[in-house]
Amino acid sequence: MYYYNTSQNTSGVQQNPDANMPGSIESQTVYNTTNTKLLTSIEIVDKGVIYLNYEKGREDSNYIQPSELYKLKSIQSNYLGQNTGNYTEKYIFDYSYTNSNYQHNGPMTTLKKLILNKVTKTSSNNQDQEYALEYYKTGAITKDNWGITQEIRLI
């Protein structure tokens, strides 16, 4: 986060403050530590269970230790008493990473962000259905006074 104490005179010309004055230019870096629990199953009473399966190891550039993070690999549904090796339906998620150019108060840097590419629906009768997601780039990510302007959008 960056705070700059700048002002404009009556004609609208920006005035840069004296750098020797307290509070003329301030910057602040904030790091958050979050502890989370993974939701691994949802029991539907007298019906069955939905299992959420995760895979450890991500490559996102905006985390300190991305290799310790999880991504959702699949979701499967099982009837009550059905072995977890079998399933009624299963959705498998396929990911990749974007290489996004980002610039804010410094040189252009490259960010890696996880994106979902494909969802494959498998069922016990081995009839797979694939759903592909396509994205297009709109340019470099830039940060304005209100937040981040997105670089990619779902088609």
Side-chain angles (χ1 to χ4, degrees), residues 86-98:
N86 299 325
Y87 50 84
T88 306
E89 288 182 339
K90 185 174 188 175
Y91 296 87
I92 301 169
F93 303 102
D94 181 51
Y95 303 95
S96 68
Y97 293 87
T98 64

Side-chain angles (χ1 to χ4, degrees), residues 25 32 40 42 46 57 103 120 135 144 148:
I25 298 177
N32 293 320
T40 57
I42 302 169
D46 297 330
Q103 184 173 14
T120 304
Y135 304 87
D144 58 19
I148 295 178

Side-chain angles (χ1 to χ4, degrees), residues 40-147:
T40 57
S41 64
I42 302 169
E43 182 180 349
I44 303 165
V45 179
D46 297 330
K47 299 286 183 184
V49 181
I50 298 172
Y51 293 100
L52 294 91
N53 304 302
Y54 298 89
E55 180 177 74
K56 189 174 185 179
R58 291 178 55 165
E59 299 173 19
D60 302 70
S61 60
N62 61 325
Y63 293 104
I64 294 174
Q65 292 180 319
S67 62
E68 297 298 313
L69 299 175
Y70 292 87
K71 59 187 169 191
L72 184 62
K73 189 62 181 165
S74 66
I75 298 174
Q76 72 181 52
S77 61
N78 291 69
Y79 290 120
L80 194 61
Q82 188 179 22
N83 183 330
T84 57
N86 299 325
Y87 50 84
T88 306
E89 288 182 339
K90 185 174 188 175
Y91 296 87
I92 301 169
F93 303 102
D94 181 51
Y95 303 95
S96 68
Y97 293 87
T98 64
N99 288 318
S100 305
N101 293 324
Y102 173 75
Q103 184 173 14
H104 180 67
N105 295 335
M108 186 74 72
T109 59
T110 301
L111 300 177
K112 285 183 94 169
K113 302 293 281 181
L114 183 73
I115 59 170
L116 179 63
N117 285 332
K118 181 174 64 171
V119 178
T120 304
K121 178 183 176 183
T122 62
S123 54
S124 55
N125 61 8
N126 293 327
Q127 292 184 350
D128 293 355
Q129 295 176 331
E130 290 187 354
Y131 302 91
L133 290 88
E134 295 181 18
Y135 304 87
Y136 68 92
K137 291 187 174 194
T138 59
I141 296 175
T142 57
K143 189 168 185 176
D144 58 19
N145 293 333
W146 300 104

